[in-house]
Amino acid sequence: MADLSRLLRPRSIAVIGGGAWCANVIRECRRMGFDGPVWPVHPTRAEVGGVPAFARIEDLPQAPDAVYIGINRAATVEAVRVLSAAGAGGAICFASGFAEAQAELADGVDMQTALLAAAGDMPVLGPNCYGMLNALDRVALWPDQHGLVPVARGVAILSQSSNVALNLTMQRRGLPIGFLGTVGNQAQVDLSALGMALLEDPRITALGLYIEGIADIRGFEALAARARALGKRIVALKLGASDQAGAAAVSHTASLTGSDAGARAFLQRIGVAQVSSLSALLECLKILHVAGPLASNRLVSASCSGGEASLMADTGLGYDICFPPLGAAQREALRAALGPKVALANPLDYHTYIWGDVPAMAACFAGLTQGEDLGAGVVVLDFPRADRCSVVDWEPVIEAVAQARGPVPLAVLSSLVETLPEDLAARLVALGVVPLCDLPAALEALAAAAFLGRTVDPAPVLLAREEGALPPSPSGRLPREYLDREEAGQVVQEAEAKQALAACGLIVPRSARAGTPDEAAAAAARIGFPVVLKGEGFAHKSEAGAVKLNLVSAEEVRAAAEAMGARGYLVEDMVGGAVAELLVGVMRDPAHGFVLTLGAGGVWTEILGDTQVRLLPVTAADVSDALAGLRIAPLLAGYRGAPGADETAVVEAVLAVQAFVAAHAGEIEELEINPLIVTPDRAVAADALIRLKTDQQEGEGDAA
């Protein structure tokens, strides 16, 4: 990785160009308090932004540490070449029209290739990016207004969208932002490389990412590992959808998984927390800055209103947090602080009996956090408008929270953004108390911070495109003579798909193939009743009426086959005693590896949309964790006294599918078992679909 230190923490800056953007960079550097030289460069102007200009880069007093290039794309390439030869520390390329515009400009990729060649070893941010703001060292290589102020320590935020980054600088939530940067189209320095450089700075406490796409899987794996090694954490807002993973998909898995599921599963795999909004991103960064990752998702909450307590409990249902019942030590401490009139519960309504009594409130908040395995304590407190009201009566609560601080992190949470003034939020940060606002965003942030407190030991994802990443196939290529050419893509017929999967340990029903209704009836008699009859040639047999269950005689089989009128038939043993039906699917995501989907199967697949997504490879523990995350988990465990599913059998079935994918990774595009019928003592693949890579895809190889 290139040395980014001079670019990120420059002592001298050059600004190339004479437009308003470049004048703004000079203005913002001075406004931020940068005390080093700023050298404008323009061939005809005597000054830019009120500062005397140099006519050429070669005329500068010395090679600048950082350069902001605000000229057209062709001139940018030449400027980068000159700067690299002169030994500059790095450059930010504002211009667009490079690889990000290849759909509109035929020479966009060629221009980017030329830019990289011109840069050589000199780091380049962009092109097509705003730049960066380093509030720790008072550097503003930024062509617009912004809301940052100098800080001694704070979080870093990196964004693939310059406008989103600009908006984030305007937050008024008391979050100290030490560094904010954009990466444009990531021609040379991507999010992971920039993040890696920033994490090494001891003044950076946590890293927030706005992600539209992940280009370098191994780089992100290294970034996440380095963050944890340094005791820091990463939280991301992942937006955007790749159109690669779901192309030409014919299975339920494709429609359920979604095109960006691979990226989300990847971030979870490497221990990066994910949130769903910019508000939750900022709230989580506040938690990480003040308290670090939380030890658990078990929270305690105190408010002086029953309505607020109910809001906490109800809103928490939407996130991976819990409010455990109060223990004996908590009850004893709370009763001593609150007296006999207050009903003790979590979330707690402590009423207003002790309002203004700092020792009593401090004892209440401290007693509440005496529970076992707690992640955080939250005091709900909405402040009045300072322009119309007085906050004097709220001061004792702040003092009490500060006095109650102990091993369990404490937060003050306002239910609305408007009811936590920025100056009070900053004051709470200085006191070591997390200032949270916006109830849903805050609870989502607390859940994300608890996720970051878990132990992560990720294995590298299974990428078929990397040479040597996969074991050799023990069984050779899949039988392409059995491809069902009438379906989209190259779909292996069900009987052969099951046979191939059985070779890797998956349990499948006894079966026989038949060409006519009479042959189907005879095959059923040999297998033994009851049986299932399937018509061949359908990707989704149930929708086509090509599946008949629980046939108990040869006559029923013959009649069902005649009604189907299929070109061939598959007769199978009927699997009884089902506890549940599951979907087990794997899709090739060229960018992120093989995506595993586990969910409710059979007729409930699309109705419930109940799925968990992971990246291969998975362990038995990973599969169990995914099963526990399904909404149908109580059914699998044995609902209301009914027999439960054999979880070990399900895990073994999933691992058998994984073994098959690993053995044939160069050929498989997608694979689906639906349903996997789960009984109290086994898991049987009742249907299987395998789609192979097309001839064109094989010719292209496995590169993303």
Side-chain angles (χ1 to χ4, degrees):
M1 186 177 66
D3 182 4
L4 302 178
S5 57
R6 290 175 63 196
L7 173 62
L8 301 183
R9 295 177 288 278
R11 296 308 307 146
S12 60
I13 293 172
V15 181
I16 302 176
W21 300 113
C22 294
N24 289 346
V25 172
I26 296 171
R27 178 196 69 206
E28 295 305 320
C29 275
R30 294 309 184 207
R31 190 167 72 92
M32 183 68 88
F34 180 71
D35 58 4
V38 178
W39 300 313
V41 177
H42 196 277
T44 60
R45 293 189 182 182
E47 57 88 23
V48 175
V51 179
F54 295 85
R56 304 182 309 153
I57 296 172
E58 293 88 341
D59 297 335
L60 294 174
Q62 64 188 59
D65 289 329
V67 185
Y68 198 94
I69 306 176
I71 51 183
N72 68 65
R73 61 182 187 144
T76 292
V77 173
E78 177 58 21
V80 166
R81 183 189 64 78
V82 175
L83 288 165
S84 179
I92 292 170
C93 296
F94 179 68
S96 59
F98 293 85
E100 82 285 349
Q102 58 183 308
E104 296 80 22
L105 298 173
D107 64 345
V109 174
D110 292 338
M111 289 294 293
Q112 184 149 309
T113 300
L115 177 70
L116 293 174
D121 294 332
M122 184 184 74
V124 172
L125 280 186
N128 190 32
C129 80
Y130 254 35
M132 66 173 220
L133 295 163
N134 180 348
L136 300 167
D137 299 298
R138 299 173 180 260
V139 176
L141 294 169
W142 192 259
D144 205 341
Q145 300 179 85
H146 63 86
L148 297 197
V149 295
V151 297
R153 61 190 293 270
V155 304
I157 300 176
L158 302 181
S159 172
Q160 287 179 279
S161 166
S162 293
N163 207 56
V164 167
L166 173 63
N167 296 340
L168 288 172
T169 72
M170 304 300 177
Q171 60 89 24
R172 300 182 181 182
R173 298 168 181 250
L175 173 66
I177 301 177
F179 186 98
L180 183 138
T182 63
V183 292
N185 75 13
Q186 307 181 87
Q188 186 203 65
V189 177
D190 66 1
L191 280 177
S192 58
L194 184 54
M196 188 78 83
L198 292 169
L199 286 173
E200 299 297 330
D201 190 328
R203 299 170 297 175
I204 295 294
T205 56
L207 179 60
L209 302 176
Y210 175 90
I211 304 173
E212 294 175 354
I214 298 174
D216 181 6
I217 291 294
R218 297 306 182 216
F220 261 81
E221 287 177 338
L223 174 67
R226 185 58 182 157
R228 291 201 170 240
L230 292 170
K232 302 179 183 182
R233 295 294 188 270
I234 304 173
V235 58
L237 172 58
K238 168 67 181 71
L239 293 183
S242 163
D243 60 2
Q244 298 167 315
V250 297
S251 69
H252 295 90
T253 304
S255 62
L256 285 170
T257 299
S259 53
D260 68 337
R264 295 178 184 277
F266 169 67
L267 292 173
Q268 181 186 45
R269 172 69 157 270
I270 62 176
V272 172
Q274 297 172 72
V275 291
S276 63
S277 68
L278 293 173
S279 289
L281 178 70
L282 293 172
E283 295 305 297
C284 188
L285 286 171
K286 281 192 281 187
I287 298 170
L288 296 176
H289 174 75
V290 176
L294 303 183
S296 80
N297 66 345
R298 293 161 55 86
L299 307 180
V300 287
S301 169
S303 63
C304 64
S305 160
E308 291 171 339
S310 296
L311 273 174
M312 283 290 283
D314 286 357
T315 308
L317 294 174
Y319 304 101
D320 185 20
I321 59 172
C322 67
F323 296 99
L326 299 175
Q330 292 167 297
R331 288 181 169 276
E332 182 179 353
L334 290 172
R335 185 60 70 207
L338 299 174
K341 296 181 180 180
V342 176
L344 302 183
N346 182 29
L348 172 70
D349 169 15
Y350 64 87
H351 295 259
T352 54
Y353 299 121
I354 60 171
W355 184 264
D357 185 339
V358 173
M361 285 192 291
C364 171
F365 303 149
L368 194 60
T369 58
Q370 290 181 20
E372 295 183 3
D373 190 28
L374 293 178
V378 180
V379 176
V380 181
L381 187 66
D382 288 74
F383 293 90
R385 293 178 56 138
D387 59 339
R388 299 178 184 177
C389 308
S390 170
V391 299
V392 171
D393 290 341
W394 277 253
E395 287 290 336
V397 186
I398 297 176
E399 185 178 348
V401 172
Q403 289 185 16
R405 284 183 59 228
V408 176
L410 273 178
V412 166
L413 167 59
S414 67
S415 56
L416 302 173
V417 176
E418 295 85 352
T419 53
L420 180 61
E422 186 175 15
D423 60 335
L424 284 172
R427 212 172 118 203
L428 289 167
V429 170
L431 290 170
V433 176
V434 184
L436 298 176
C437 57
D438 181 359
L439 192 57
L443 292 180
E444 182 180 2
L446 287 162
F451 167 82
L452 290 171
R454 301 172 188 169
T455 300
V456 172
D457 185 18
V461 299
L462 187 62
L463 297 178
R465 66 175 182 266
E466 292 187 343
E467 184 177 356
L470 300 167
S473 170
S475 54
R477 293 176 62 81
L478 288 167
R480 290 178 181 259
E481 64 270 22
Y482 294 116
L483 292 177
D484 192 337
R485 301 287 179 178
E486 294 184 9
E487 295 297 332
Q490 301 199 50
V491 179
V492 178
Q493 293 184 47
E494 180 184 348
E496 282 66 37
K498 287 180 178 174
Q499 183 179 7
L501 286 161
C504 285
L506 191 69
I507 298 175
V508 300
R510 292 177 298 162
S511 65
R513 182 178 257 136
T516 67
D518 287 338
E519 291 176 0
R526 291 194 302 272
I527 291 174
F529 299 101
V531 297
V532 177
L533 179 70
K534 300 177 181 179
E536 294 189 320
F538 305 94
H540 300 300
K541 300 179 182 65
S542 296
E543 290 87 333
V547 177
K548 295 298 180 183
L549 305 177
N550 205 32
L551 301 176
V552 297
S553 69
E555 290 73 19
E556 286 189 6
V557 173
R558 183 181 296 105
E562 290 173 348
M564 285 180 193
R567 66 170 186 262
Y569 305 93
L570 184 63
V571 184
E572 292 187 335
D573 183 30
M574 178 79 184
V575 181
V579 173
E581 295 184 347
L582 297 177
L583 173 145
V584 180
V586 176
M587 287 193 63
R588 171 191 295 273
D589 183 331
H592 309 109
F594 288 97
V595 182
L596 168 70
T597 301
L598 297 177
V603 298
W604 300 108
T605 297
E606 268 115 2
I607 294 175
L608 293 181
D610 181 16
T611 61
Q612 291 281 310
V613 177
R614 301 290 188 271
L615 288 187
L616 298 186
V618 292
T619 64
D622 295 331
V623 178
S624 294
D625 179 70
L627 292 172
L630 295 173
R631 295 199 300 276
I632 64 167
L635 183 65
L636 297 173
Y639 189 62
R640 291 190 173 181
D646 185 341
E647 181 178 311
T648 300
V650 177
V651 171
E652 290 174 350
V654 174
L655 295 181
V657 169
Q658 174 172 265
F660 178 83
V661 172
H664 300 283
E667 301 174 77
I668 292 174
E669 192 64 23
E670 59 181 307
L671 180 156
E672 181 176 284
I673 310 299
N674 189 21
L676 179 73
I677 298 177
V678 186
T679 75
D681 56 8
R682 61 178 181 156
V684 184
D687 198 357
L689 179 149
I690 299 172
R691 183 166 67 90
L692 306 182
K693 293 169 64 177
T694 64
D695 294 336
Q696 179 183 5
Q697 287 171 314
E698 286 196 47
E700 293 170 351
D702 293 312

